[in-house]
Amino acid sequence: MNTHKLNGRLWSVLILFGLVGQIAWSVENMYFNLFIYNTIAKNTSSVTLMVQMSGIVATFTTLIAGILTDKAGNRKYFISLGYLLWGLLTLSFAFISKENTAIWFQLSDEAQIINLTIAIVITLDCIMTAFGSTANDAAFNAFVTDNTENARSLAEGVLSAMPLVSMLIVAGGFGMIVNALGYPGLFVAVGTMMSVSGIIGIWLIKDNPNLKKQNTNFISDINYGFKFSVIEQNKKLYLYFVAMGIYGIASQIYMPYLIIYMQEYLKFDAIQYSIVLAGVILGASIITILLGKQFDGKNKDKLLIYFSLIYILGMFSLYIMSKTINLNLKTQVMWTTGATSLILITGFVQVLALLGAQIRDNTPSENTGKLQGIRMIFFVLIPMYIGPMIGETINERTNLTYIDPVNGATAHVPAPEIFLAGALFCLLIFFPLSFLFRGKQS
């Protein structure tokens, strides 16, 4: 039995690596898309491809790395060295620009420079994601499971707040860093923070003494979650996986383009969208804390239905607002965007938390590691491949364009219809939820 106490050293590891990891993912999700759009090519197809490739790499890396950490009987070095290299790769983005590509490869043709720079960004992003998924999704999550058995709820409660805290930091502060120092300043700051965390981890992290090397069959471990017998034995778990996949696709239809939409459609500058996002995330954090106390021990499936409806309402409200408000009244647009986005983000966070809790509660403890890859398929791979593809198709079909003043090229603007599509797609979540309710009544 795991008797490891949540002492100060362990709390330091959980908070440091939980927060830094979420900040890194938030920067990638929010600012890498904006970086490629603003500095390399004003088209959303490059953003779509980067998100899709990142999702594929993250899923397969976690599937393999999770098993490797079990077989090695070590989480410490996977986390520490992973964060160190993850940070160095993030920092390296500070040196990527069309100008540097032209110098490095002796190119003069603008189209060749843009295409090669995009290829460099996407390749580096995939390598960076591989280290991030190894360090965070695989090793750190396994470390948490190893060391918090006697206080799992307390530890998970703190860690579940990290995505919101990181989004608040990134949305509120990092937009101002970009405004003051540009994207190189952002990448240097974030990359240095991550690498320093990895170095600290070499001395700070201590693996659970009960963690031993495992000599299980590697191929068998990978195939475990795909077996029909396993799916049959864990029907509820896989129904929650399906619900998570639907929720994830709906979210990824608009999420990769959210800040670009605020910048190009709503005409917000970096300070304005940072203020709106920070206010929305802070408000959603307060609501989450209050609701967490009120709903503790309540029927999570009923709450899932309520908050799925709120999430759908939030996406639909943002679409209606975009179509009806006078975009020239900037203060009014900021307030209205903030109010509708608060509904959306509150639903987004609550559905994610409730689905995550139900998946955790229905995962067999003896096979948690083997199912992490399956979880990532529904959490990351399917949503990040299908969602942006739908969003990109909508952006192209609505044909909202403008002429980029820098190079005279025609650029696509993310359309409000991405929120409508997300709302309509999210209605499908009631399909797996209905089976879960039917199972409870039978």
Side-chain angles (χ1 to χ4, degrees):
M1 179 179 175
N2 183 358
T3 58
H4 201 91
K5 300 291 179 67
L6 296 187
N7 53 34
R9 187 190 197 101
L10 182 54
W11 271 121
S12 298
V13 173
L14 296 182
I15 293 171
L16 175 64
F17 290 93
L19 181 58
V20 170
Q22 288 302 322
I23 287 174
W25 289 134
S26 292
V27 168
E28 181 179 7
N29 293 334
M30 296 172 73
Y31 280 103
F32 272 59
N33 301 340
L34 202 59
F35 164 68
I36 200 171
Y37 184 88
N38 281 343
T39 68
I40 301 170
K42 292 274 188 178
N43 65 72
T44 52
S45 60
S46 302
V47 173
T48 302
L49 179 61
M50 184 168 68
V51 172
Q52 289 175 327
M53 293 301 297
S54 179
I56 293 169
V57 171
T59 301
F60 286 101
T61 300
T62 303
L63 183 65
I64 295 169
I67 295 170
L68 288 177
T69 63
D70 283 344
K71 293 180 76 66
N74 184 287
R75 319 289 191 204
K76 172 179 177 176
Y77 289 110
F78 280 92
I79 298 171
S80 300
L81 297 179
Y83 269 75
L84 173 62
L85 295 171
W86 190 11
L88 291 175
L89 282 161
T90 301
L91 191 151
S92 71
F93 277 83
F95 302 99
I96 298 176
S97 67
K98 289 188 294 184
E99 293 75 18
N100 284 342
T101 300
I103 294 169
W104 295 336
F105 297 93
Q106 298 295 302
L107 297 175
S108 57
D109 182 76
E110 181 72 10
Q112 285 185 331
I113 293 169
I114 289 173
N115 290 334
L116 184 55
T117 307
I118 290 171
I120 292 170
V121 170
I122 293 175
T123 302
L124 266 179
D125 181 64
C126 288
I127 298 171
M128 182 190 73
T129 297
F131 284 108
S133 294
T134 298
N136 188 267
D137 294 324
F140 177 69
N141 282 335
F143 175 87
V144 173
T145 302
D146 294 339
N147 292 278
T148 60
E149 186 176 320
N150 59 346
R152 183 74 49 77
S153 296
L154 176 60
E156 288 182 346
V158 172
L159 290 173
S160 67
M162 294 301 178
L164 276 176
V165 173
S166 68
M167 286 173 68
L168 182 60
I169 293 170
V170 171
F174 287 14
M176 297 178 188
I177 292 178
V178 171
N179 207 43
L181 303 175
Y183 291 100
L186 172 67
F187 297 140
V188 169
V190 176
T192 301
M193 174 188 67
M194 295 158 65
S195 292
V196 169
S197 299
I199 294 170
I200 292 172
I202 295 173
W203 287 274
L204 187 63
I205 297 172
K206 282 191 175 180
D207 278 322
N208 190 295
N210 295 326
L211 180 64
K212 306 295 182 186
K213 291 183 179 180
Q214 295 184 10
N215 295 315
T216 54
N217 184 277
F218 187 80
I219 301 299
S220 177
D221 286 346
I222 289 178
N223 292 335
Y224 175 81
F226 297 97
K227 294 178 181 176
F228 182 78
S229 58
V230 174
I231 298 172
E232 186 71 21
Q233 292 166 12
N234 299 278
K235 287 181 181 177
K236 286 182 66 177
L237 173 63
Y238 281 79
L239 282 170
Y240 286 120
F241 279 153
V242 172
M244 176 61 82
I246 293 168
Y247 156 86
I249 291 171
S251 302
Q252 288 297 324
I253 289 174
Y254 72 86
M255 191 66 77
Y257 315 107
L258 181 59
I259 298 183
I260 301 173
Y261 160 81
M262 289 184 170
Q263 174 184 281
E264 301 296 346
Y265 187 88
L266 300 181
K267 304 299 181 184
F268 289 169
D269 60 31
I271 299 297
Q272 288 170 332
Y273 66 65
S274 295
I275 291 171
V276 170
L277 287 172
V280 166
I281 295 165
L282 181 60
S285 302
I286 295 170
I287 292 171
T288 298
I289 293 169
L290 295 175
L291 291 181
K293 293 180 179 179
Q294 293 292 323
F295 293 152
D296 190 34
K298 301 288 179 65
N299 186 316
K300 292 188 181 74
D301 286 335
K302 283 186 178 179
L303 293 177
L304 257 175
I305 289 180
Y306 298 151
F307 283 106
S308 294
L309 288 170
I310 289 172
Y311 186 39
I312 291 167
L313 174 64
M315 288 184 278
F316 187 70
S317 298
L318 205 52
Y319 166 71
I320 294 296
M321 181 278 295
S322 301
K323 288 294 189 179
T324 57
I325 198 167
N326 184 345
L327 297 178
N328 293 318
L329 303 174
K330 197 58 63 184
T331 302
Q332 184 181 345
V333 174
M334 288 179 66
W335 277 105
T336 310
T337 302
T340 51
S341 297
L342 180 59
I343 300 171
L344 181 146
I345 294 297
T346 298
F348 172 85
V349 170
Q350 292 300 323
V351 173
L352 178 62
L354 288 164
L355 281 173
Q358 291 292 58
I359 288 170
R360 201 163 48 241
D361 291 345
N362 287 277
T363 300
S365 58
E366 67 276 12
N367 291 305
T368 301
K370 296 176 186 176
L371 289 166
Q372 290 308 299
I374 305 299
R375 181 183 68 86
M376 286 292 285
I377 288 172
F378 290 94
F379 269 52
V380 176
L381 178 60
I382 293 174
M384 290 179 71
Y385 190 83
I386 297 176
M389 187 164 55
I390 296 172
E392 171 63 15
T393 302
I394 292 169
N395 292 335
E396 290 179 350
R397 294 287 175 86
T398 51
N399 204 29
L400 290 176
T401 61
Y402 69 100
I403 303 300
D404 183 3
V406 176
N407 55 27
T410 300
H412 279 289
V413 176
E417 281 76 10
I418 56 178
F419 301 106
L420 177 61
L424 293 174
F425 195 93
C426 201
L427 290 170
L428 294 174
I429 199 171
F430 300 115
F431 182 70
L433 292 183
S434 68
F435 278 96
L436 288 161
F437 269 97
R438 195 180 305 167
K440 283 189 174 183
Q441 293 171 356
S442 60

